[in-house]
Amino acid sequence: MAKFANVDDYIAALPENLREVAVALRPIVNAALPGSIEAMYHASPTWSAGEAVGKNLVCLMKAYSSYVTFALWKGQLVDDESGRLEPSAREMAHVKLRSVGDIDADLFTGWLKQARDLESIATAR
């Protein structure tokens, strides 16, 4: 995928089915993480709880050919009774979103708030 200056450009360049997922996911993340920094970081849209892009990262979304990955940096530490989060590298966990129907706003909001709080604890150390 090409290099994008901002999240709007990234989303606009996605194929329609993936763009619909990203457009539905983005306001959920922004509402759950007020005051966070939304920016492109390592070629993906990310949200940071820190004072600069890439500091105290909470989550990201990244499009692949048939789905959008929604990942939490400390997702393996998040309480996920749904069992939908899959472990990734280090402490990360993710869920693959193939359609808007895969997005559960209440569930994702709970994950995001937990992930934000975990980053706040890490910042306080």
Side-chain angles (χ1 to χ4, degrees), residues 25 60-64 67-71 93-97:
L25 179 61
L60 68 84
M61 79 169 127
K62 184 173 182 173
Y64 291 90
Y67 59 89
V68 173
T69 291
F70 172 56
H94 69 276
V95 62
K96 294 176 183 174
L97 308 171

Side-chain angles (χ1 to χ4, degrees), residues 77-80 109-119:
L77 303 177
V78 166
D79 181 29
D80 175 33
T109 297
W111 291 344
L112 286 159
K113 288 180 178 180
Q114 287 182 66
R116 177 204 57 213
D117 292 348
L118 289 166
E119 286 303 330

